[in-house]
Amino acid sequence: MGLVNIKFRDTTYTLTCNDEKQVLKLAERFSSRVDGIAAELNNATDNKLALIAGLMLEDELERIQQDTAKKPKGVSESEASEVLCDTLDQLTQYIDNLADRVEKRYNTR
């Protein structure tokens, strides 16, 4: 395990971690998110900014989990895309055939 120094707002924190690069990358992204919130909220404390950022991350995580739960289990994205394309092709053929039948009926009168 290594140590990594993370600057969050005006304070530097030393953390123990297994993957220093990953932790630094995440800390940078989180700090950037908090800085964006701070730019919108005047005079918010660091604790409040961290709370808001945490709530936003939880909201994003919940949405991702809900979206993931909606996907059929065991079907890859490419397989789902292929099924969708096949279905659209079948619908296109059906509509074309229907249009031909309507046109023939209309032209014979």
Side-chain angles (χ1 to χ4, degrees):
M1 280 202 184
L3 294 176
V4 63
N5 292 319
I6 296 174
K7 184 171 182 184
F8 176 71
R9 309 290 286 156
D10 295 326
T11 306
T12 299
Y13 298 92
T14 301
L15 300 176
T16 304
C17 61
N18 289 327
D19 188 346
E20 292 89 357
K21 285 182 181 181
Q22 177 69 2
V23 171
L24 287 171
K25 181 179 85 172
L26 294 173
E28 185 176 313
R29 287 175 48 193
F30 185 75
S31 288
S32 177
R33 181 184 296 262
V34 170
D35 290 344
I37 297 167
E40 294 180 26
L41 301 176
N42 294 332
N43 302 323
T45 65
D46 290 348
N47 286 340
K48 186 173 185 177
L49 294 171
L51 173 63
I52 292 169
L55 291 172
M56 290 171 68
L57 289 168
E58 284 297 320
D59 184 53
E60 286 179 32
L61 177 61
E62 185 175 318
R63 288 177 193 204
I64 290 168
Q65 289 171 335
Q66 288 172 350
D67 289 346
T68 302
K70 291 177 186 175
K71 287 185 179 179
K73 303 286 187 244
V75 177
S76 72
E77 199 167 312
S78 64
E79 289 172 324
S81 178
E82 187 176 323
V83 169
L84 179 60
C85 286
D86 288 345
T87 303
L88 288 173
D89 286 342
Q90 290 173 4
L91 282 171
T92 301
Q93 275 185 320
Y94 177 78
I95 291 168
D96 285 345
N97 289 339
L98 188 58
D100 287 344
R101 288 174 40 205
V102 168
E103 187 176 330
K104 285 178 185 176
R105 182 177 290 180
Y106 179 75
N107 286 335
T108 57
R109 289 187 179 171

